[in-house]
Amino acid sequence: MKVMLVLPPSQSAISSVLGTTGPPLGLAYIASVLEREGHDVRIIDSLALNYSLKDLRSEVKSFDPDVVGLTATTPAIYDAYKVAKLVKLTNPNAKVVIGGPHVTFTAEETLRECPYIDVVVRGEGEMVMSSLIKNLEKDRPLKEVKGVTYRHGQDIRSTQDAPLIRDLNELPLPAYHLLPMERYRVGGKRFGTVITSRGCPFQCIFCSSSQLYGKFWRARSPENVLEELRVLRDKYGIREVEFLDDTFTLNNKRAERICELIKIEGLDISWSCSSRADTLARRLALKLKSAGCHFLYLGVESGSQKLLNIIRKGITLEQAKNAIRVAKHAGLNTLASFMLGIPGETKETIKKTINFAKRLNPTLAQFTLCTPYPGTRLYEIAK
């Protein structure tokens, strides 16, 4: 089948501030699985290509896909609806499918809000899309596909959740050849992103990751990660990489092994990753630095222990101080992120957080508004 996967045109805060976006890895992973099964796949990264809806219409006309798959975060969901409408008006016979974190938790609402979408893919998309495309190709009932919500006449039906992919090494590498890789740049360097693990065992009430990818942490082998880094460097000239894992440092031994392999291979890349205040050992910090890591992201969230407990962050202020100390000692730049507006927040606790950030003195401090996204405990509290 002919499958077009689309990142919709939208306003991106990251793009407007940094002048760049990263490759849409979710779509690239799905594309690689579908290509492995013999389908004709195209990816349209509207952000990187600076595409308008008019540009997208031309692509849909020329490719004439059987299925169009969309992805959208909560802020971009209405942009995805516009693309769904465009597809149906341009090619009425195409099936429009949407996935991503927002629609996973609002599947029925999504189909009620947008009559141009036929199917919602919930959770991890690769195997669900694979099964869905097979069933569409053979004109078999969608009730056989796990992990979808779909229209059945006037009704909306959901199948049971699909199982998570246990061994991430079984997935092919993302279909980078279908992306405009030359357009991903930061600071003049070609830029890439890599996901080495999925799932999160922590309980933070503001994050939907553990609901989307499960409480069970699943990790690719260090050798499998190195293979991807080698492809990015040798084939696409990537010199700057961001590891997008929720917590790259969750397993210190594995993170150390990735660092060792980067050095043994002589990859000569600079990179950044995320950690938690309670998972950063001094030994690991030194290995990160020696392997080319230059920036470490740490979610501190608040300068009030009471508020940290409310959001179930699972760290103490002392652990946050220690993590910044450890990172600085290793020569790593740090970005400490904080949230304002946590339930129970007052002017006094906001001042506490700002003063705590000053005392920590990270390279950069980021302040965001505590936002209740669908799929989080915070969303249920807000409702």
Side-chain angles (χ1 to χ4, degrees), residues 3-300:
V3 183
M4 177 179 279
L5 303 174
V6 180
L7 181 68
S10 64
Q11 292 296 315
S12 164
I14 293 172
S15 178
S16 62
V17 173
L18 298 179
T20 189
T21 60
L25 289 186
L27 296 183
Y29 267 114
I30 290 170
S32 64
V33 169
L34 296 181
E35 279 197 326
R36 184 172 66 180
E37 295 171 356
H39 300 290
D40 184 6
V41 187
R42 181 173 295 182
I43 301 177
I44 305 296
D45 180 352
S46 300
L47 292 185
L49 295 169
N50 294 315
Y51 268 15
S52 65
L53 289 175
K54 186 178 178 182
D55 296 319
L56 211 47
R57 185 181 293 110
S58 298
E59 293 280 5
V60 172
K61 274 186 177 179
S62 64
F63 188 57
D64 191 26
D66 302 299
V67 177
V68 174
L70 309 174
T71 186
T73 57
T74 299
I77 189 62
Y78 296 112
D79 297 307
Y81 290 174
K82 290 175 186 174
V83 175
K85 181 178 181 180
L86 176 154
V87 171
K88 283 296 189 183
L89 294 179
T90 306
N91 186 351
N93 294 322
K95 288 287 184 185
V96 177
V97 181
I98 190 169
H102 178 86
V103 300
T104 289
F105 305 112
T106 61
E108 292 189 14
E109 175 187 316
T110 296
L111 292 178
R112 285 196 299 269
E113 282 187 345
C114 185
Y116 306 101
I117 294 173
D118 299 299
V119 184
V120 170
V121 167
R122 307 190 316 271
E124 237 171 10
E126 293 90 354
M127 297 301 106
V128 180
M129 273 295 280
S130 171
S131 299
L132 176 62
I133 297 297
K134 283 175 188 170
N135 276 54
L136 290 174
E137 190 174 32
K138 296 174 182 176
D139 200 24
R140 296 175 62 165
L142 296 188
K143 67 180 181 180
E144 298 176 359
V145 181
K146 291 180 180 178
V148 295
T149 300
Y150 62 97
R151 300 183 191 281
H152 185 82
Q154 297 300 308
D155 296 332
I156 292 174
R157 298 185 178 179
S158 293
T159 62
Q160 69 184 89
D161 291 343
L164 294 168
I165 301 165
R166 299 291 290 187
D167 185 2
L168 298 179
N169 291 332
E170 293 179 355
L171 286 172
L173 295 182
Y176 289 116
H177 61 284
L178 298 180
L179 292 169
M181 295 299 288
E182 72 287 349
R183 287 183 174 250
Y184 306 115
R185 292 175 181 267
V186 63
K189 288 183 180 179
R190 289 201 171 189
F191 169 68
T193 52
V194 174
I195 298 172
T196 79
S197 64
R198 297 180 185 180
C200 180
F202 301 105
Q203 310 295 323
C204 307
I205 69 171
F206 57 86
C207 178
S208 63
S209 181
S210 60
Q211 304 302 316
L212 186 67
Y213 289 119
K215 293 282 187 187
F216 176 67
W217 186 70
R218 297 159 291 140
R220 297 163 58 191
S221 70
E223 292 73 19
N224 186 258
V225 173
L226 188 76
E227 180 189 352
E228 183 172 359
L229 292 174
R230 195 185 291 123
V231 167
L232 287 172
R233 182 199 64 176
D234 294 345
K235 195 167 183 181
Y236 299 104
I238 300 299
R239 287 293 179 270
E240 178 68 36
V241 170
E242 181 180 355
F243 290 107
L244 297 179
D245 306 43
D246 288 328
T247 312
F248 181 78
T249 61
L250 186 63
N251 182 316
N252 274 216
K253 284 187 178 178
R254 173 181 168 274
E256 285 182 16
R257 180 59 180 159
I258 291 172
C259 292
E260 288 166 5
L261 290 177
I262 288 172
K263 290 175 71 176
I264 290 168
E265 184 72 14
L267 278 183
D268 188 30
I269 56 171
S270 58
W271 49 280
S272 57
C273 65
S274 294
S275 182
R276 275 177 56 97
D278 55 352
T279 64
L280 184 65
R282 183 178 292 261
R283 171 185 159 119
L284 174 57
L286 291 168
K287 291 214 169 192
L288 294 173
K289 175 65 177 177
S290 70
C293 180
H294 64 96
F295 236 111
L296 197 67
Y297 301 95
L298 284 161
V300 180

Side-chain angles (χ1 to χ4, degrees), residues 292-361:
C293 180
H294 64 96
F295 236 111
L296 197 67
Y297 301 95
L298 284 161
V300 180
E301 318 310 354
S302 178
S304 160
Q305 188 63 53
K306 180 182 176 183
L307 293 187
L308 286 178
N309 296 343
I310 285 173
I311 60 174
R312 300 183 189 173
K313 181 67 181 178
I315 65 168
T316 64
L317 297 177
E318 194 53 46
Q319 285 174 320
K321 287 181 199 172
N322 184 61
I324 295 288
R325 272 198 303 265
V326 165
K328 285 182 178 180
H329 178 262
L332 293 166
N333 290 305
T334 53
L335 186 151
S337 65
F338 302 88
M339 293 191 301
L340 302 178
I342 292 167
E345 188 89 85
T346 64
K347 284 184 180 179
E348 286 67 36
T349 56
I350 287 173
K351 286 176 183 174
K352 263 189 178 181
T353 295
I354 292 169
N355 289 330
F356 187 58
K358 288 178 178 178
R359 288 199 303 277
L360 288 179
N361 194 27

